[in-house]
Amino acid sequence: MAVIKDVAKLAGVSVGTVSKYLNTPQLLREDKRRAVEDAIQKLNYKPNLFARNLRVQDSKTIAVIAQEISNPFHAALFNTIRKEAMKYNYTVVLYSINDVNGNMDALFESLPIHYFSGVILCYFHDMEQSIDFARRHEKVPMVIMSNSSRYYSEYDSEKIVHADFTLGIQKVCEYLISLGCRDIAYVGCKTRDIDHEPKLKGFLMTLEKYHLKPHSIVRLEKEYTMETGYESAEYILQTQSLPDAVLSDTDIMAVGVLNCLRDQGICVPEDVMLASFDNIEFSRYCNPRLTTVNVPIEAMSIKAVELLVDQMEGRKYSGSGTGFELELIVRESAR
C-alpha cells in the first residue's frame, strides 16, 4: 500500500507539498498540483483521513467527558449535547471518567485529544481536576460545565457554564426545616473532602444556620445508583431513631432510599420525608413523587455546545447567560 512518501518521490516533490495538496490544493502551483495528482492516480494512494484530521483538527468530532451514563441525569446531558452538536454538523463521542478511575488523561491514550475539534467537560465531582485539565490543554477548544459559581471567576468566563449546587441544596434543606424537620439525614457518595462536595457543604451550612445537627450522614464509596441509595438507607435505619427527613444528593439514590423505607414499612412522607436533587424523569413518576431541586441540564448543555462551537469556529462569544438558577420542585415526598 502506497504511503505519502511514495507519492512525494514519484511526483518529485517534498512530503510537505503532498500534504499541502491534500489539505489546501489551491495554494499549489499548477505544475506541482498536476504532478501530485498523477502520482496519486498511478499509485492508487488513499490518504489516511485519521492522520490528516490529527494534523488539521477538522475531525468535526466533540469529546464529552462525564461521570457515567447509567444515571439518567448524565444520559440526558449527553443526549442533549449530541442533538445540539448535530445542528452544527458535529458528531459526539462520550467518555466515562469512571472507566479510568478518575484519570482524565488516560481517556486519550488511544485517540489523542488533538484529534477532537473540541471537548466538553461535565465531570461535576472533581472541578479542580477539570480546571487543571483544561489549562494543560488550552490550545484545544474546551468548555467546562461547573457545579459552582466560584469557578466562573477562577477560569475563563467564556469557557464555563455553571450552576450553584451549594445554593440548590440549601433551598431544599431550608424547605424541609420550614416543614418542621429538625433531624435530617443526608445521603451521598464519598468522592473527596467536603470543600469539593458543594451539596454536602450546603447541607451542613444550612443546619449550622439553624443551630441543628444532622441525624446522620451516609457517604458510601460507591457509584450514584439506586442500589447505593437503598444500602445507604439501611445504614440510617440502624440508628436508634428515625430521622424527620432524608435528603439525598441525587434523585437516582433517592429512589433507592424510597424503596428501602417502603420495604421496612416506613411511609413517605407520613413517617419520614424525602427530598433530593436533579429532577430527573424518575422523580416525577415514582410513588410518592419526589420533592427535588431542578438542575436545568438541557439548557446548560445547549449553552455549552454554543460556547464550544464559537471557539471551534474562531468566533468570540458575544452572548450571556452562562449561569443558571436552580429551582425547588415541591412534590408529595416532602409536603
Side-chain angles (χ1 to χ4, degrees):
M1 182 181 294
V3 296
I4 194 169
K5 288 183 179 179
D6 299 326
V7 175
K9 183 177 180 181
L10 182 59
V13 298
S14 67
V15 170
T17 298
V18 178
S19 179
K20 184 179 289 187
Y21 170 84
L22 295 173
N23 296 316
T24 52
Q26 69 276 11
L27 298 182
L28 285 179
R29 293 204 319 257
E30 181 67 19
D31 58 333
K32 289 189 175 182
R33 186 165 66 248
R34 286 185 177 179
V36 173
E37 286 176 352
D38 290 343
I40 287 175
Q41 289 179 1
K42 289 177 181 178
L43 295 172
N44 194 27
Y45 171 68
K46 305 293 183 184
N48 186 332
L49 294 179
F50 171 71
R52 179 184 171 192
N53 284 336
L54 283 176
R55 288 192 298 274
V56 300
Q57 294 188 18
D58 64 351
S59 67
K60 300 292 285 186
T61 305
I62 296 170
V64 176
I65 304 175
Q67 186 79 8
E68 36 75 27
I69 59 171
S70 59
N71 187 333
F73 176 85
H74 293 104
L77 178 151
F78 172 66
N79 198 40
T80 302
I81 290 175
R82 180 183 62 81
K83 289 181 179 179
E84 195 67 16
M86 286 175 62
K87 297 178 182 178
Y88 299 95
N89 297 316
Y90 287 89
T91 57
V92 174
V93 175
L94 175 65
Y95 287 103
S96 169
I97 198 71
N98 286 346
D99 292 341
V100 289
N101 297 318
N103 183 1
M104 205 172 289
D105 290 293
L107 294 171
F108 299 98
E109 288 180 351
S110 59
L111 193 59
I113 190 171
H114 293 286
Y115 165 75
F116 296 96
S117 302
V119 177
I120 298 178
L121 296 179
C122 319
Y123 187 25
F124 292 106
H125 301 303
D126 195 336
M127 292 308 308
E128 270 73 15
Q129 184 181 175
S130 295
I131 298 292
D132 176 68
F133 183 84
R135 284 174 173 158
R136 285 190 288 107
H137 299 285
E138 61 181 10
K139 292 184 179 180
V140 178
M142 199 170 303
V143 170
I144 297 174
M145 299 182 71
S146 170
N147 59 19
S148 173
S149 56
R150 61 177 273 205
Y151 300 105
Y152 184 73
S153 57
E154 292 181 12
Y155 189 56
D156 190 333
S157 60
E158 295 182 357
K159 298 181 179 181
I160 198 160
V161 175
H162 62 96
D164 194 333
F165 285 16
T166 298
L167 181 59
I169 212 76
Q170 287 177 318
K171 285 183 178 181
V172 68
C173 194
E174 293 256 8
Y175 175 70
L176 291 172
I177 293 171
S178 75
L179 296 179
C181 297
R182 295 295 182 270
D183 216 15
I184 305 173
Y186 182 90
V187 170
C189 284
K190 189 172 184 179
T191 53
R192 297 178 65 184
D193 55 68
I194 291 175
D195 285 337
H196 295 90
E197 294 189 28
K199 286 182 274 190
L200 176 57
K201 184 178 180 180
F203 170 71
L204 294 173
M205 287 170 59
T206 307
L207 291 190
E208 184 178 359
K209 174 183 175 181
Y210 289 92
H211 308 290
L212 299 174
K213 293 184 178 180
H215 170 276
S216 51
I217 296 176
V218 181
R219 297 163 64 226
L220 304 180
E221 293 190 42
K222 294 190 173 184
E223 301 299 331
Y224 289 86
T225 63
M226 285 183 275
E227 181 181 3
T228 304
Y230 193 103
E231 188 176 341
S232 299
E234 289 180 321
Y235 277 94
I236 293 172
L237 295 179
Q238 291 173 9
T239 59
Q240 293 182 347
S241 61
L242 279 178
D244 298 329
V246 176
L247 176 54
S248 171
D249 75 358
T250 60
D251 287 344
I252 195 71
M253 289 179 63
V255 174
V257 172
L258 178 62
N259 279 278
C260 180
L261 295 176
R262 181 180 296 143
D263 287 348
Q264 297 301 317
I266 299 169
C267 296
V268 175
E270 293 83 0
D271 300 324
V272 176
M273 293 190 186
L274 177 62
S276 57
F277 199 96
D278 284 345
N279 195 31
I280 63 173
E281 192 172 12
F282 274 19
S283 68
R284 301 194 295 273
Y285 295 106
C286 57
N287 185 23
R289 297 183 301 166
L290 290 175
T291 289
T292 186
V293 174
N294 179 60
V295 180
I297 196 61
E298 291 188 2
M300 291 177 69
S301 300
I302 290 171
K303 178 61 70 173
V305 174
E306 180 183 334
L307 288 173
L308 187 64
V309 169
D310 278 349
Q311 287 184 56
M312 293 186 299
E313 299 185 357
R315 295 190 297 270
K316 185 173 178 61
Y317 182 69
S318 58
S320 60
T322 57
F324 290 81
E325 294 293 325
L326 304 180
E327 178 187 3
L328 174 65
I329 307 294
V330 176
R331 301 193 183 105
E332 289 83 355
S333 71
R335 176 174 286 180

